[in-house]
Amino acid sequence: MSDCTACQAPIGARFTFTTCQSCEDWMRDRLNEIEHLWLELPDFLERGTTGAGPRVSGGNVEAPLPLNGDVLDLAVSVYLRLGPHEAAIRAARHEPAQAPRPVAADESGTDLMVSRVLRSLRRNLPWAAEHVDLAELALTLRELAGEMRHATGNRPDTKTLNTPCPACSGTLLLHHTTRSVHCSECGRPVDPAAFTARAA
Ligand SMILES: [Zn+2]
Ligand SMILES: [Zn+2]
């Protein structure tokens, strides 16, 4: 019996896999989270901006805000840090390299590269969890998601809801970036629309 490549826990019944189910799910959540945070990143380019909030100005002269170096670094490094993992998984799977699609005038080449690499990682994740050592990818996803959360205001990732889980009365958690709700005890997902639906 072997251990999960990402968390080193015994892999149990999933013995044909390299990676346990909860690590696979966790990595999928981080890929979704990074995709959402990537879209928010440009709003935090100037230090002192809060995304949607008004800018701070001093007196009559509005001094330009200093640029946020963390955001600039991430704008470059998200692709550079995920790209090698994506290429390694595709190579292990003997998938041919994708022919690059030409960039349209109104889109950013970096946006395209980042969304392509995230899509490919998500698509190949179930296969990779069976065939590839995912320790390095898990580490990169943890660091990247943490840095992006920090650069976009460091909001807590989840909020505890007062409403108990309908299945087990456990604690429900709202995940801000993936906009999903799930029970921290039984793991059951709850449709957020159920909270606002009126009782018939
Ligand atoms: Zn694991
Ligand atoms: Zn529950």
Side-chain angles (χ1 to χ4, degrees):
M1 190 148 298
S2 55
D3 294 340
C4 168
T5 57
C7 72
Q8 279 79 52
I11 208 139
R14 246 164 91 98
F15 59 87
T16 60
F17 286 70
T18 61
T19 307
C20 77
Q21 183 69 56
S22 61
C23 284
E24 184 186 334
D25 293 343
W26 180 88
M27 283 191 266
R28 185 177 297 102
D29 285 348
R30 296 291 77 67
L31 288 168
N32 291 337
E33 182 181 9
I34 289 169
E35 188 168 50
H36 282 84
L37 290 173
W38 173 259
L39 298 176
E40 291 186 14
L41 217 48
D43 293 342
F44 293 86
L45 186 58
E46 290 180 332
R47 215 178 262 294
T49 56
T50 55
R55 289 178 190 193
V56 189
S57 62
N60 294 326
V61 188
E62 210 171 308
L65 290 164
L67 290 183
N68 186 337
D70 294 343
V71 171
L72 287 176
D73 277 342
L74 283 165
V76 177
S77 73
V78 169
Y79 177 77
L80 292 180
R81 285 156 74 182
L82 289 176
H85 295 290
E86 189 261 347
I89 290 171
R90 264 197 296 104
R93 206 174 179 173
H94 305 295
E95 263 194 20
Q98 290 161 313
R101 178 169 75 77
V103 180
D106 61 343
E107 59 186 1
S108 143
T110 314
D111 280 350
L112 203 64
M113 276 156 35
V114 167
S115 79
R116 184 183 292 153
V117 90
L118 288 169
R119 270 206 317 272
S120 170
L121 283 169
R122 201 159 33 211
R123 181 168 51 80
N124 285 310
L125 187 61
W127 182 89
E130 238 182 316
H131 297 91
V132 183
D133 183 327
L134 290 177
E136 293 287 321
L137 176 62
L139 190 66
T140 302
L141 291 175
R142 181 184 303 280
E143 291 174 350
L144 214 45
E147 288 169 39
M148 292 174 87
R149 240 178 262 144
H150 181 75
T152 53
N154 220 4
R155 293 156 309 164
D157 209 22
T158 51
K159 173 182 169 34
T160 305
L161 300 180
N162 293 322
T163 317
C165 168
C168 76
S169 304
T171 307
L172 289 183
L173 296 174
L174 165 69
H175 197 282
H176 287 302
T177 41
T178 58
R179 293 167 171 271
S180 61
V181 176
H182 77 273
C183 173
S184 64
E185 272 134 75
C186 70
R188 185 179 187 270
V190 178
D191 183 358
F195 288 88
T196 50
R198 308 228 168 168

